[in-house]
Amino acid sequence: MHNVNMKAEQLHQLIWMSRPLMQAAEGCVENGLTGTNLTVRMRAVLEILHKYGEQTVPELAARLDIQRQYVQIMCNETLTSGFIEQRPNPRHKRSPILTLTNQGSALIEDILSKEMQIMQEMSEDLSTEDIATALKVILSVVDGLQKRTGERK
C-alpha cells in the first residue's frame, strides 16, 4: 500500500464503515419497532408503500433494490399482519396491488416520526454542508462501484 495516497485510503475506510453503519442503523430501527409486531423487513414494505403509494411486488423489489422473490416473502409476512392488503391488478392478473391499511398507515407514520426525531437530534452536531457533502460522496461511491460491477440501472 506504499503507492496508495491518503485520499484512496480514506475512501477505502469509508466503504468499509458502511457495514457497521448499516448494522447500527438496523439495530436502532429494530429498537424502535419494539411492541409493534413489525420486523425490519415488514417496516421496509410499509415505508415504501407510505412514501410511493400502492405498489406491486416487482415495483417494491425495484424500489428496495432486492430480488423479487425475497420481497414476495417480505410482503407475505406483512400481509398476514394486517398492515397491508392486496387488491386485484387490472394490468396484471398475477401481480396484485399492495396498499397500506389504515392501521398500517398510522403505524408507519408513528415509526417514521420517531425516527425523524432521532435524526433531528443526531443532526444537531453536524452542519447542513457536512451532511450534503457526505451524501454526495456516498452517492458517488455507490454509483462508481455499481458501474464497475455492472449493477448500474
Side-chain angles (χ1 to χ4, degrees), residues 9 19 32 48 56 65-66 128 130 144:
E9 287 179 18
R19 181 176 304 276
I48 295 297
T56 62
D65 198 18
I66 302 174
T128 302
D130 286 345

Side-chain angles (χ1 to χ4, degrees), residues 53-112:
E54 61 186 28
Q55 305 274 301
T56 62
V57 169
E59 290 168 336
L60 277 162
R63 293 208 186 272
L64 291 166
D65 198 18
I66 302 174
Q67 288 184 350
R68 189 202 59 76
Q69 294 85 348
Y70 187 66
V71 174
Q72 183 67 60
I73 293 166
M74 294 166 62
C75 290
N76 290 346
E77 277 182 348
T78 312
L79 276 164
T80 61
S81 72
F83 297 127
I84 66 172
E85 59 192 11
Q86 62 183 21
R87 299 188 283 107
N89 183 349
R91 293 174 298 160
H92 195 286
K93 295 202 183 318
R94 293 181 43 148
S95 187
I97 295 171
L98 301 171
T99 188
L100 290 170
T101 62
N102 289 339
Q103 182 186 14
S105 184
L107 180 59
I108 194 62
E109 286 174 14
D110 183 53
I111 289 167
L112 292 171

Side-chain angles (χ1 to χ4, degrees), residues 21-34 40 43 111 114-115 118-119 122:
L21 170 65
M22 289 310 300
Q23 288 171 334
E26 188 168 327
C28 192
V29 168
E30 258 179 13
N31 287 344
L33 297 178
T34 301
V40 172
R43 182 217 164 277
I111 289 167
K114 289 175 181 171
E115 289 175 357
I118 292 169
M119 294 300 105
M122 289 176 58

Side-chain angles (χ1 to χ4, degrees), residues 11 14 21-22 51 119 126-144 152:
L11 186 58
L14 173 77
L21 170 65
M22 289 310 300
K51 185 172 184 177
M119 294 300 105
L126 302 166
S127 73
T128 302
E129 295 79 20
D130 286 345
I131 295 169
T133 299
L135 182 58
K136 179 181 173 186
V137 170
I138 292 295
L139 291 172
S140 177
V141 169
V142 168
D143 184 60
R152 193 72 191 130

